[in-house]
Amino acid sequence: MKTNILKKKYTFRDFNNNMKRIFILIGLIALSFCQSSYINLPYSESKDFMKGKNSKSFCVVIDAGHGGKHPGTLGKTVKEKEVTLQIALELEKILKKNNPEIEVVMTRKSDAYVDLNDRAEISNKRKANLFVSIHCNANENKDIHGTETYAMGVHKTDGQLNIMKRENSDILKEENYKEKYENFDPNSEESYILFKLQQHGHLNQSLDLARKVEKHFDQHAKRTSRGVKQAGFLVLWKTAMPAILIETGFLSNASEEKYLTSIEGQNSLATSIYKAIRDYKNQHHK
Ligand SMILES: [Zn+2]
């Protein structure tokens, strides 16, 4: 009798277990069906599927300097805003062609001005991995030529101070610029003391990317590299990721202006910047 009761209890539990097994089996069949569909997906999509997201894992913001009512520095035949846009669009094309897994965000794709604060804001909102601002240089001495790449920091020479003042002067035409930029006056040397007190959070990575850009300008584009430098550029100030500002050459130098306006020159400079971004990603985001 005792044995029979135990037997009955056992049978009921056994029934429950069997039901559980059936549900697990149905679950496994459903899972294997999902996996077989997943295996057929291209690699990048399947990786995102597993992560439960659609966005790409590495994002670069390309910022064409100036635009609209802000021409930047003037060459004899061309304005800085035109050259920076052409190089930026070429860089976008090369990046998308060679590394489709990289998300590319442009701060502007036409002759429009975007406030310097907004350019950093676009990058921060997208949680970009890199911010690359493209510019052209100028100097009273028409012989001076070559490339320079900057990370945020404190300038060391008057030449760097002048470049920084020129690049930052765009904000003077922005509405309420004093409120927007915490009473920053681009023409006052005292304003730049602010940058002595604040160090950019990603300085080492920014300098690393800057060195890679200058290396490829030298090796690939065969330009005269004037090196990696630091200065207080407002467009880099509020960025929350490694950020650089590239001076791709001097529009005040006749032969460099010719190079900067040529399709070959723009392609060669954009390819060099692309190689630096590619090397940086391979090194830091495997
Ligand atoms: Zn500029």
Side-chain angles (χ1 to χ4, degrees):
M1 192 69 182
K2 210 175 177 184
T3 323
N4 279 345
I5 291 167
L6 278 173
K7 245 186 191 172
K8 201 180 175 187
K9 275 187 184 168
Y10 174 77
T11 309
F12 183 66
R13 210 179 284 162
D14 196 37
F15 170 76
N16 268 349
N17 285 341
N18 279 339
M19 285 305 286
K20 273 182 199 164
R21 282 192 196 109
I22 289 165
F23 280 122
I24 289 167
L25 194 66
I26 291 168
L28 283 171
I29 291 165
L31 187 67
S32 73
F33 177 77
C34 286
Q35 276 181 336
S36 62
S37 316
Y38 151 66
I39 286 160
N40 291 332
L41 290 169
Y43 174 70
S44 59
E45 282 179 34
S46 60
K47 211 169 86 180
D48 289 343
F49 171 77
M50 286 301 276
K51 282 181 185 170
K53 62 172 192 173
N54 294 315
S55 60
K56 296 178 179 179
S57 62
F58 192 86
C59 173
V60 179
V61 172
I62 304 171
D63 174 50
H66 315 284
K69 60 187 173 184
H70 305 261
T73 193
L74 302 174
K76 277 190 182 140
T77 62
V78 78
K79 294 168 183 150
E80 181 184 355
K81 66 172 184 174
E82 295 161 353
V83 176
T84 61
L85 183 60
Q86 288 310 311
I87 297 172
L89 290 171
E90 187 67 13
L91 175 58
E92 179 195 27
K93 206 164 79 185
I94 297 168
L95 262 167
K96 284 184 170 173
K97 187 181 162 205
N98 292 292
N99 288 65
E101 80 282 7
I102 295 179
E103 184 187 359
V104 183
V105 175
M106 308 290 285
T107 55
R108 70 178 180 100
K109 290 192 80 165
S110 63
D111 183 22
Y113 182 73
V114 180
D115 285 3
L116 298 188
N117 259 354
D118 292 343
R119 296 175 194 235
E121 188 73 14
I122 289 168
S123 306
N124 295 343
K125 272 193 181 153
R126 294 296 278 261
K127 294 191 168 53
N129 296 86
L130 294 176
F131 178 85
V132 176
S133 191
I134 297 169
H135 290 258
C136 301
N137 224 331
N139 196 288
E140 283 177 6
N141 181 343
K142 311 270 183 241
D143 292 331
I144 290 182
H145 63 281
T147 62
E148 298 176 343
T149 302
Y150 284 84
M152 188 69 190
V154 181
H155 60 279
K156 290 202 174 96
T157 65
D158 284 348
Q160 289 162 19
L161 175 70
N162 290 333
I163 293 168
M164 194 171 63
K165 279 182 177 173
R166 178 169 50 75
E167 298 291 14
N168 288 340
S169 66
D170 274 2
I171 66 162
L172 295 171
K173 290 182 200 164
E174 289 180 22
E175 278 176 35
N176 307 323
Y177 80 88
K178 283 192 174 166
E179 283 168 39
K180 276 199 286 188
Y181 298 93
E182 299 174 27
N183 286 321
F184 185 90
D185 178 358
N187 291 320
S188 146
E189 220 165 311
E190 281 97 70
S191 279
Y192 292 96
I193 291 169
L194 188 70
F195 301 133
K196 286 184 184 174
L197 305 170
Q198 288 183 348
Q199 190 176 306
H200 195 268
H202 300 271
L203 182 61
N204 287 336
Q205 287 135 300
S206 303
L207 288 170
D208 184 35
L209 178 63
R211 276 190 290 269
K212 285 174 167 53
V213 170
E214 285 301 314
K215 184 187 99 178
H216 288 296
F217 278 158
D218 174 51
Q219 292 178 359
H220 174 78
K222 312 286 179 216
R223 308 312 294 160
T224 304
S225 170
R226 294 167 55 84
V228 170
K229 295 167 183 186
Q230 282 180 259
F233 291 106
L234 282 174
V235 74
L236 304 180
W237 185 20
K238 299 273 172 81
T239 54
M241 69 286 304
I244 56 169
L245 185 144
I246 304 170
E247 296 286 359
T248 51
F250 286 76
L251 283 177
S252 47
N253 178 278
S255 91
E256 212 151 50
E257 180 181 8
K258 206 173 160 193
Y259 178 81
L260 285 162
T261 47
S262 71
I263 289 170
E264 297 76 32
Q266 290 168 356
N267 174 270
S268 205
L269 290 165
T271 304
S272 305
I273 302 168
Y274 158 71
K275 282 170 181 272
I277 293 169
R278 178 202 61 192
D279 292 355
Y280 179 93
K281 180 179 175 283
N282 288 342
Q283 192 181 329
H284 299 280
H285 294 260
K286 282 174 193 168

